[in-house]
Amino acid sequence: MGSKRRVRTSVPVKPRPNPLAGRTEPIGYHDTALLRQFLSDNGKIRSRRVTGLTPQQQRQVATAIRNAREMALLPFGKSSTSGR
């Protein structure tokens, strides 16, 4: 009884479009409309794999989000308390 091996077919993965392509000005904490695109519904920072940013852009976005949270421009996240 030989085991059947599943053959993986390589499906070409189309890279996600970079939402910051062609942007020349630096990413700042004051641009909350832009930064909200990179937050999940729970207020977590989305990963680079999901957002399609370059590593340098992802670091800049994460730093800007952290600064905006400290300035109370963005929420830290939804609380997990159960209605008390």
Side-chain angles (χ1 to χ4, degrees):
M1 295 208 156
S3 63
K4 293 184 179 180
R5 294 179 61 186
R6 179 178 279 185
V7 177
R8 289 199 176 219
T9 58
S10 64
V11 178
V13 178
K14 189 169 84 171
R16 297 184 64 85
N18 188 338
L20 300 178
R23 185 179 169 98
T24 57
E25 61 271 2
I27 302 163
Y29 68 89
H30 48 80
D31 194 0
T32 57
L34 173 72
L35 296 177
R36 284 185 193 274
Q37 295 177 359
F38 303 107
L39 290 175
S40 69
D41 293 338
N42 293 330
K44 294 183 178 182
I45 300 174
R46 293 186 190 268
S47 68
R48 203 185 125 234
R49 179 175 48 88
V50 174
T51 59
L53 297 175
T54 65
Q56 183 180 9
Q57 289 172 334
Q58 181 69 22
R59 285 192 299 271
Q60 289 174 351
V61 165
T63 303
I65 288 173
R66 285 189 223 113
N67 290 338
R69 285 175 173 167
E70 287 294 321
M71 301 295 249
L73 298 175
L74 289 176
F76 275 94
K78 293 188 179 180
S79 64
S80 61
T81 57
S82 58
R84 287 195 198 210

